[in-house]
Amino acid sequence: MQFHQEENGLKAELLTYTSLEGIEKNFPDLPWRNYLPHLSYTFAVEKISRACSHQLVRHRVASFSQQSQRYITIKNLDKKVVTPPTIGENEGFNNLIEQASDAYQRLVDQGAPKEDARFVLPNAAETSLLMTMDGASLMHFLGLRTCNRAQWEIRSLADSMLEQLREGEPRVFNNAGPYCYQLNYCPEGRFTCGKMDEAVERYSV
């Protein structure tokens, strides 16, 4: 599959996955959900913010390999940040990013180790990573992160991943989406977004 490009610039590519059909040949007649823990999916993710990657690694039943700020010199930070849509071309935000970039470069030029100079880098700094999840963990991830209440960047990432998963393994992932879509009720209780019908319609196949 080719990279899926989102409006905010992030890229996610489904690199490899375990075929449901392959497992079914050896162990037929089980409900498809029984196979989920034995299915594996690996994504290459690019141009997400460090803030987004911090949310990703909270999904502990997954494996991550993230670009290091300890060994890689960060150049042109002002061109490699993720800007929230609510901020846009805000002069104050842009000035702070520029100041952080200048401070980082000065520290490196003065001999500070990159692992120490990175302390001035913002959560907006772009990063890349590899991520592998089993099918059950991925369904849980999608249930949480495609929800209207999820933070906008990780929701955009989850939507991009889901689009590719539905292309590659529709029998499984046509059932995936926010938990209100998966369960046919909203489990958020008093924190519900109140837009379940809209969400279910959006993710319906």
Side-chain angles (χ1 to χ4, degrees), residues 6 16 18 43 45 47 52 56 68 79 84 90 103 113 115-116 118 120 128 149 151 153 165 174 179 198:
E6 289 290 339
T16 62
T18 309
F43 284 88
V45 179
K47 296 188 176 182
C52 185
L56 276 177
S68 173
K79 296 180 176 62
N90 181 280
E115 65 180 357
D116 294 338
R118 64 180 171 165
V120 302
S128 302
R149 297 189 64 247
Q151 186 258 359
E153 187 181 12
L165 289 164
N174 281 353
Y179 268 125
E198 178 183 314

Side-chain angles (χ1 to χ4, degrees), residues 45-76:
V45 179
E46 294 187 49
K47 296 188 176 182
I48 60 169
S49 69
R50 281 270 166 173
C52 185
S53 72
H54 295 332
Q55 295 180 73
L56 276 177
V57 298
R58 293 178 65 188
H59 293 270
R60 288 170 288 181
V61 189
S63 298
F64 300 95
S65 297
Q66 185 170 4
Q67 182 186 62
S68 173
Q69 290 182 338
R70 184 180 183 187
Y71 299 108
I72 296 174
T73 302
I74 307 300
K75 298 180 180 179
N76 302 316

Side-chain angles (χ1 to χ4, degrees), residues 113-177:
K114 290 189 283 289
E115 65 180 357
D116 294 338
R118 64 180 171 165
F119 275 63
V120 302
L121 296 175
N123 273 334
E126 286 183 356
T127 189
S128 302
L129 54 84
L130 285 173
M131 175 176 64
T132 301
M133 287 188 186
D134 67 67
S137 299
L138 195 48
M139 289 289 284
H140 176 61
F141 168 82
L142 294 168
L144 293 175
R145 301 304 189 174
T146 57
C147 174
N148 283 332
R149 297 189 64 247
Q151 186 258 359
W152 65 269
E153 187 181 12
I154 200 168
R155 185 172 65 245
S156 180
L157 173 62
D159 281 342
S160 176
M161 292 167 61
L162 177 56
E163 181 178 331
Q164 295 178 66
L165 289 164
R166 284 183 167 182
E167 290 176 7
E169 199 71 272
R171 286 178 53 205
V172 174
F173 291 101
N174 281 353
N175 300 285

Side-chain angles (χ1 to χ4, degrees), residues 8 83-88 152:
N8 60 20
T83 304
T86 54
I87 292 178
W152 65 269

